[in-house]
Amino acid sequence: MTNDSASSTTSTLYRGGAVYNPVDPHATAMVVKDGQIAWIGSEAAAARHEDSVDTVVDLDGAMVTPAFVDAHIHTSGTGLALRGVDLSVVRSLDEALTKIEDAARKRLGRPVYAHSWDEDSWRSEQRPPTAQELDRATYGSVVYVPRVDGHSAAISSALAAASGARDLPGWNDSGLVTREAHHAARDAFSDSISPTDRRADIDAALMAAAAAGIGLVHENAGPHLSSAQDLADVLAAGERGDGPQVVGYWAELVEDEAQAREMAALHGVRGLAGDLNVDGSIGSRTASLRAPYADWHDAGEGHGSGHRGNAYLTVDQVRDHVAACSLAGVQAGFHVIGDAGAETVIQGLQAAARMIGVARVVAARHRLEHLEMMDAEGIRALVELGVTASVQPAFDAAWGGPHGMYAARLGPDRVAGMNRFATMAAAGLSMAFGSDSPVTPFAPWQAIRAAAFHHEPSHRIDAESAFRAHTRGGWRVAGIDDRGYLDLGQPASFAVWSLDTDSRPGATGLPDLSPGVTLPTNLRTVIRGRTVFDRGALT
């Protein structure tokens, strides 16, 4: 993944714009040669390079930035979502069922994938579809309908029978599945996708990332998320050089150093991390909480009040996994959202540090995904252990605030303490930004805006810090410290952005990202000197 040999053998001068380069905030031009940045400077100096390059590109006021890094995606799942039935746009249960029925007719009995429903955004009947409703809408087809957070799904009777979900924990007679029942349903549906279609999904997802100005993605794979072959195909696609690069993670527990080394080598991954779930999600009411969900009595699950979510791992399991990976020099990490889940993972990390020494844990540079309910004390503990936070600001933009889904699930008091980006930054906790695509789309500027204009003002960080978390921070969390910025000798991995007049770069060198201001539009993405996306607007 870090091999920069996949580069162009030509040279190009980009001039007449703004080059985001903190060393020279007035830079307007850049030369790319043999896949690397050969020069950055002023417009006046650019004229001296015109005769020595193969191509001159007029930026016409456009802005050049390092390519973004998305530190948490599910590649084939994103591609599947791109060709599936998108329920994020529907506003009622009836509308959702109509779209599913239309898809079933077009697919002539083949399995139907309809994703990203969010019952909290529906005008009426704020509940998922039942198995019986899916059966009627699709004439008995296999149907898999995951919620927007991916931690629960509605499934048809045919998929319930094929997967054996009815006999597993997490089954509900309505056809809503969580936990092991959801894993079985997801696995059974995934098995119905041909290798050819799956590889096409991977390519479509990576091209969508490139179109969003992303040059590196972190693939979060693992049992019940994808397959070993799927991960291998994603990593191979990242090496081709015609799209974003890929860092791979495999989410499977290990118990000792030898097993950690073998598993990381087997899958060719940076770490045994990513969506190795300590708990679930708030939207599906599976995140592990210290206090009960505020709206469980409205969930229609028949379990009464007092539900605190699901704890998938113990402190001892976290400890043993972290210790094994640390000794093997392999990055470990976990998916953790709820405050009780955060407590479990911190206690496990601290127990591992007592077992093998703090220095070895810190040296392995472990990571945690999401960290939405981490308090200030927990953040300080993570800093002491050298952990990086892989976070998704779009979650707060979509579901935060006093009237959002999080407030409905947790109550107004708890929601005010979520996604503490400012506390993380002030404590010195390294951050990397991602989308968790297909949970939220590839949209780096929107994520930076979400962090800079968090619903809770005290949790906001400045746009420059957010930008670094979405560029250099994504390389650093993978243990690569010398990437993610524009400078001489760096790989030429960058994006070119068209800006509206009202969003021109200010003193920080970044565009105005205030709510209501038009965000930058990507014109071109170049990765290691190769153009992998081009809107056709540059001459």
Side-chain angles (χ1 to χ4, degrees), residues 145-182:
V145 190
R147 194 180 185 280
V148 63
D149 53 41
H151 285 265
S152 60
I155 64 173
S156 65
S157 298
L159 183 54
S163 64
R166 286 190 179 91
D167 301 322
L168 297 172
W171 167 258
N172 185 282
D173 288 339
S174 68
L176 183 70
V177 289
T178 60
R179 302 174 60 190
E180 288 88 342
H182 181 210

Side-chain angles (χ1 to χ4, degrees), residues 163-245:
S163 64
R166 286 190 179 91
D167 301 322
L168 297 172
W171 167 258
N172 185 282
D173 288 339
S174 68
L176 183 70
V177 289
T178 60
R179 302 174 60 190
E180 288 88 342
H182 181 210
H183 295 163
R186 181 166 53 193
D187 290 349
F189 187 86
S190 296
D191 289 343
S192 72
I193 302 171
S194 72
T196 299
D197 284 346
R198 184 173 47 75
R199 285 191 289 269
D201 289 339
I202 291 168
D203 290 344
L206 292 178
M207 288 305 98
I214 295 167
L216 172 70
V217 299
H218 294 200
E219 163 65 8
N220 283 246
H224 307 305
L225 292 168
S226 55
S227 67
Q229 184 58 57
D230 181 78
L231 172 60
D233 288 341
V234 174
L235 294 176
E239 287 294 325
R240 285 200 311 255
D242 58 357
Q245 296 174 264

Side-chain angles (χ1 to χ4, degrees), residues 98-134:
T98 297
K99 286 179 74 71
I100 292 170
E101 183 174 2
D102 289 343
R105 286 175 175 166
K106 293 176 182 176
R107 294 192 61 75
L108 301 175
R110 297 192 301 275
V112 175
Y113 179 77
H115 61 92
S116 300
W117 56 271
D118 182 357
E119 75 278 29
D120 293 270
S121 68
W122 292 351
R123 293 185 295 269
S124 60
E125 286 195 273
Q126 294 181 319
R127 62 169 179 82
T130 66
Q132 291 74 19
E133 289 167 333
L134 294 175

Side-chain angles (χ1 to χ4, degrees), residues 37-116:
I37 298 172
W39 174 82
I40 297 175
S42 67
E43 193 62 26
R48 297 197 297 268
H49 293 271
E50 282 193 355
D51 294 336
S52 62
V53 298
D54 300 304
T55 307
V56 177
V57 175
D58 180 8
L59 292 171
D60 192 24
M63 180 181 184
V64 180
T65 70
F68 285 107
V69 178
D70 194 313
H72 188 124
I73 81 164
H74 304 280
T75 309
S76 63
T78 297
L80 178 61
L82 290 172
R83 66 179 173 90
V85 182
D86 184 3
L87 300 182
S88 67
V89 296
V90 308
R91 290 297 174 263
S92 70
L93 176 60
D94 286 344
E95 188 180 350
L97 289 168
T98 297
K99 286 179 74 71
I100 292 170
E101 183 174 2
D102 289 343
R105 286 175 175 166
K106 293 176 182 176
R107 294 192 61 75
L108 301 175
R110 297 192 301 275
V112 175
Y113 179 77
H115 61 92
S116 300

Side-chain angles (χ1 to χ4, degrees), residues 231 235 248-250 252 254 256-273 321 324-325 328-332:
L231 172 60
L235 294 176
Y249 289 90
W250 182 256
E252 188 169 358
V254 292
D256 58 52
E257 178 182 353
Q259 189 181 12
R261 290 183 190 277
E262 290 171 6
M263 189 173 294
L266 174 66
H267 295 292
V269 292
R270 168 70 183 92
L272 304 176
H321 184 73
C325 289
V330 172
Q331 194 174 31

